[in-house]
Amino acid sequence: MPLPGEIAADPAMFFHRVLGCEPWEKQIEMAEAVRDHERVAVCSCNGGGKDWASARLILWWLTAYQNAKVVILA
């Protein structure tokens, strides 16, 4: 398992190595935006994989940051 610092630095690596999934290029771009910016908005079509990536980003966030909290609104 990767070290916590490695996890925080690379959400795409977390998707691959920890969750065992293969995100699309746009999903990796979305994950890197969440890592690099305080606020992120994603414009996409229906069925573009935003929910899939969001669920995995939540797992990444909770794993990468001690005492992390996530609020989800639908």
Side-chain angles (χ1 to χ4, degrees):
M1 181 144 181
L3 298 172
E6 291 176 311
I7 291 171
D10 192 355
M13 180 274 304
F14 177 78
F15 288 1
H16 291 292
R17 289 182 51 195
V18 177
L19 300 179
C21 56
E22 292 295 325
W24 298 341
E25 184 178 331
K26 282 294 187 182
Q27 293 167 328
I28 292 172
E29 188 178 320
M30 181 176 147
E32 290 172 348
V34 169
R35 176 195 65 200
D36 297 339
H37 303 285
E38 186 174 321
R39 294 180 185 199
V40 176
V42 178
C43 296
S44 177
C45 61
N46 290 335
K50 296 179 301 292
D51 290 340
W52 183 94
S54 296
R56 283 142 186 88
L57 277 168
I58 290 166
L59 294 173
W60 166 74
W61 188 268
L62 292 171
T63 303
Y65 298 102
Q66 187 176 7
N67 299 322
K69 294 180 183 178
V70 176
V71 177
I72 304 168
L73 303 174

